[in-house]
Amino acid sequence: MADWYCYRDKVKMLETEVKLSYMQLSQRIPGLRCPVCGECYLTEEIVMNVVKEAEAVIYGK
Ligand SMILES: [Zn+2]
């Protein structure tokens, strides 16, 4: 995973697990958290995968 930096604190983000709710599904996915302000980030790639999976379950694709 590439290094990400908090836009506020300019510190390196730590890898963490983020609880994401999308439609009726909630799941834990790998994300990034700022150790200073606690802001959680998800990369676009991860979000796209989660959305795709959730839609597959809901719509039976
Ligand atoms: Zn921060």
Side-chain angles (χ1 to χ4, degrees):
M1 192 178 273
D3 288 351
W4 290 70
Y5 293 84
C6 179
Y7 67 93
R8 266 183 283 200
D9 309 303
K10 313 296 182 211
V11 297
K12 193 174 160 184
M13 307 287 282
L14 303 175
E15 287 182 37
T16 187
E17 279 201 326
V18 177
K19 198 175 173 200
L20 182 80
S21 295
Y22 177 74
M23 301 180 87
Q24 293 93 349
L25 300 172
S26 86
Q27 53 188 304
R28 293 191 163 277
I29 58 170
L32 298 161
R33 190 174 61 81
C34 173
V36 177
C37 67
E39 183 79 15
C40 287
Y41 289 176
L42 300 172
T43 67
E44 198 175 324
E45 189 186 340
I46 291 168
V47 172
M48 290 308 292
N49 284 338
V50 169
V51 168
K52 241 187 275 175
E53 277 174 31
E55 286 180 346
V57 169
I58 291 164
Y59 301 116
K61 279 180 198 162

